[in-house]
Amino acid sequence: MKAKTRNKSGGVLVLVLAVVVALGCLGSGLLGLGSSAGLEASYAVNDVNAFWAAEAGLERFKAIIRLNSVSLDAMTPNYLGANVLLGTNGNGKASYNVSSQDYPGYDNANPTLPKKYKIRSIGTSGGSQRAVTICAILPSFAGSHISNYEENSQYGGNIYFGTGDVIDGPVFVNDQLNISGTPRFLQRVYSSAANVYYTGGGSAAVFEGGLQLGINFVNAMAGRWFNGSNITTVANMATTGGLSLAGGTNKGNWNIIFTNINNVGNVMFAKVGSTNYQRRTLSSIPNGAIYVSSNAYVQGVVNSRTNITLAAQSAIYITGDLVYASATSPNPWSSNFDPNSVTDMLYLRASNSVQILVQDDVNIHANILVTSDSAKWAGFGSYTNYSRTLSSPAPKINFFGALAQYRRGAVGQGGGKGFSKNYKFDTRFGNTMGMFLPYQFSEWGGP
């Protein structure tokens, strides 16, 4: 009996040991499974952190573009290239690295086209990396008509586009557009307002090139163009390698006539009230800067073969046709006109206004900027003629170039009074205006 009992006790021990071994194996398996699940959870967390870090880098980069409102290659520091923006998320456990490049196969050097870039943001967290890639489209912030304000109390309030006006170029307005009748906008129009004010039978049909409302100009107009630095820069340049006309009688007012004699570009200048003109060849003004300390009265034919900038501390008065020698035959409205054949370029910069003094059709080729509204008659206009019946039909302002004015001036009053507008954008100014509209971002996919 004792032996039998001992045999049973041994069997139970073996069974217990077998159970213990089985439980140990099960526990080890459970521990391994828990460890794998923990690692999987860690990987998932790192993946999420890496993705949101990539998104954070992209959003920061887009904010920088919007703040600067210039092309990426013009930004300082340079934001075009590899590893141009680095950073971490709030807790420092994930980082991002942003690179940008010209969109492959696209011609960013073409001034008639918007800028396009490929921007890639890579987020890293632990051993995980995630990437987000977008295409950034920056339409050029330059056009046939650009204004910060479309109303002017000196002219009785809102300034309108009216029947007979033809605007062949982009329009950017940091205000509400006012439409009377049936003007024609042949290219796209952008406005910061939520709607357009129509009167006299006007409708959205006038926007033949399209209309986009609610554009955020991020104070780019006031911050970059409409300040005194534009005039001051030209004044400084004119004293070293330019032509500075200042002081003396008539408060620094000068008559300026551009001439093209025997295919040589010249500028003739004399104090207002004097017939004693001096002459300089444009090639003898190395940096092309001409500064007038008060008012400039200008006309003529510009044969510059380079950039000429005429800046007036107060106002510029256009006293006759002001055209490019290389854009007269054919002219910009001829069917066989090629803007790439134009070799002349004139910038007009005035603090207070650019005013037209003639009463007939006038041809103006220039890039015009009026930086403030401190004068009684601000902006680009014709205060002596806007309310007068000059002829029937109304004479035209045949303007070829780019126009920007802080507060819009009036050139006509409707009903055949003053001038009608015939504006054509000089596409060469698409990039030289130095600003872009970084409002449109369209994602095309992942890494």
Side-chain angles (χ1 to χ4, degrees):
M1 292 293 292
K2 290 181 179 180
K4 190 173 183 179
T5 302
R6 284 196 298 272
N7 289 339
K8 289 181 177 180
S9 299
V12 171
L13 180 59
V14 171
L15 179 60
V16 170
L17 289 173
V19 171
V20 169
V21 171
L23 291 173
C25 291
L26 179 61
S28 176
L30 290 173
L31 288 174
L33 182 62
S35 177
S36 297
L39 288 174
E40 288 295 329
S42 176
Y43 293 151
V45 169
N46 283 335
D47 282 351
V48 171
N49 285 341
F51 172 78
W52 286 113
E55 285 283 348
L58 181 62
E59 290 302 317
R60 182 183 170 202
F61 190 84
K62 287 159 65 174
I64 291 172
I65 297 174
R66 292 190 179 101
L67 178 64
N68 284 271
S69 298
V70 296
S71 58
L72 300 189
D73 52 331
M75 291 171 62
T76 303
N78 196 333
Y79 281 91
L80 184 63
N83 310 322
V84 294
L85 184 64
L86 308 175
T88 60
N89 66 1
N91 57 22
K93 293 183 179 180
S95 61
Y96 55 79
N97 183 339
V98 182
S99 299
S100 66
Q101 66 181 84
D102 292 333
Y103 184 65
Y106 186 81
D107 185 11
N108 267 350
N110 189 333
T112 67
L113 300 174
K115 294 280 192 178
K116 287 188 178 182
Y117 302 98
K118 183 178 180 181
I119 301 172
R120 182 179 175 88
S121 178
I122 299 175
T124 303
S125 178
S128 296
Q129 279 195 341
R130 290 293 181 266
V132 179
T133 304
I134 68 165
C135 173
I137 304 172
L138 280 68
S140 174
F141 192 177
S144 294
H145 176 90
I146 301 166
S147 68
N148 203 42
Y149 293 108
E150 285 285 297
E151 55 84 22
N152 191 318
S153 61
Q154 305 296 339
Y155 296 95
N158 293 337
I159 309 297
Y160 291 80
F161 290 96
T163 301
D165 293 344
V166 179
I167 312 298
D168 186 4
V171 172
F172 302 93
V173 173
N174 199 21
D175 200 354
Q176 185 180 51
L177 284 156
N178 305 292
I179 304 297
S180 176
T182 56
R184 298 182 63 199
F185 297 89
L186 305 186
Q187 297 190 36
R188 197 163 186 81
V189 175
Y190 304 84
S191 169
S192 64
N195 50 56
V196 177
Y197 178 71
Y198 298 103
T199 188
S203 72
V206 304
F207 300 107
E208 300 176 29
L211 170 66
Q212 188 157 350
L213 298 173
I215 298 300
N216 180 12
F217 291 105
V218 294
N219 297 320
M221 288 185 172
R224 291 188 174 275
W225 285 350
F226 303 126
N227 57 62
S229 64
N230 293 281
I231 308 299
T232 301
T233 297
V234 181
N236 292 336
M237 292 174 60
T239 60
T240 56
L243 174 61
S244 183
L245 304 175
T249 59
N250 290 308
K251 300 180 179 179
N253 299 326
W254 289 80
N255 286 317
I256 295 175
I257 302 174
F258 291 99
T259 63
N260 181 33
I261 302 174
N262 296 325
N263 203 30
V264 175
N266 300 270
V267 58
M268 300 176 63
F269 50 96
K271 294 297 292 291
V272 170
S274 171
T275 58
N276 184 25
Y277 278 88
Q278 303 175 61
R279 181 172 66 86
R280 291 268 302 268
T281 60
L282 294 181
S283 60
S284 70
I285 306 175
N287 61 18
I290 303 173
Y291 171 73
V292 175
S293 63
S294 186
N295 299 308
Y297 296 77
V298 62
Q299 62 174 297
V301 179
V302 178
N303 182 357
S304 61
R305 307 296 172 90
T306 184
N307 298 346
I308 297 295
T309 301
L310 169 61
Q313 192 62 53
S314 185
I316 293 176
Y317 297 94
I318 296 175
T319 56
D321 284 354
L322 181 61
V323 297
Y324 299 141
S326 54
T328 53
S329 182
N331 66 48
W333 289 269
S334 300
S335 59
N336 59 339
F337 175 73
D338 179 9
N340 295 318
S341 67
V342 181
T343 56
D344 311 302
M345 192 171 281
L346 174 65
Y347 295 82
L348 299 180
R349 300 290 184 257
S351 295
N352 295 332
S353 65
V354 173
Q355 294 290 326
I356 298 170
L357 297 186
V358 299
Q359 298 185 7
D360 300 315
D361 286 354
V362 60
N363 302 298
I364 302 172
H365 301 167
N367 178 312
I368 296 176
L369 171 63
V370 184
T371 64
S372 74
D373 64 350
S374 58
K376 179 178 180 181
W377 301 103
F380 176 69
S382 182
Y383 72 81
T384 59
N385 294 310
Y386 84 100
S387 61
R388 299 171 59 189
T389 301
L390 303 177
S391 62
S392 183
K396 291 183 179 295
I397 300 171
N398 299 309
F399 175 70
F400 174 62
L403 169 64
Q405 49 191 323
Y406 182 79
R407 187 174 297 279
R408 184 178 168 193
V411 299
Q413 200 176 25
K417 295 181 178 180
F419 294 88
S420 63
K421 308 173 193 67
N422 184 26
Y423 294 177
K424 187 177 181 64
F425 179 49
D426 184 345
T427 54
R428 299 177 303 152
F429 291 121
N431 286 344
T432 60
M433 298 294 276
M435 295 179 64
F436 293 83
L437 267 183
Y439 70 90
Q440 186 177 347
F441 294 89
S442 56
E443 296 191 28
W444 73 72

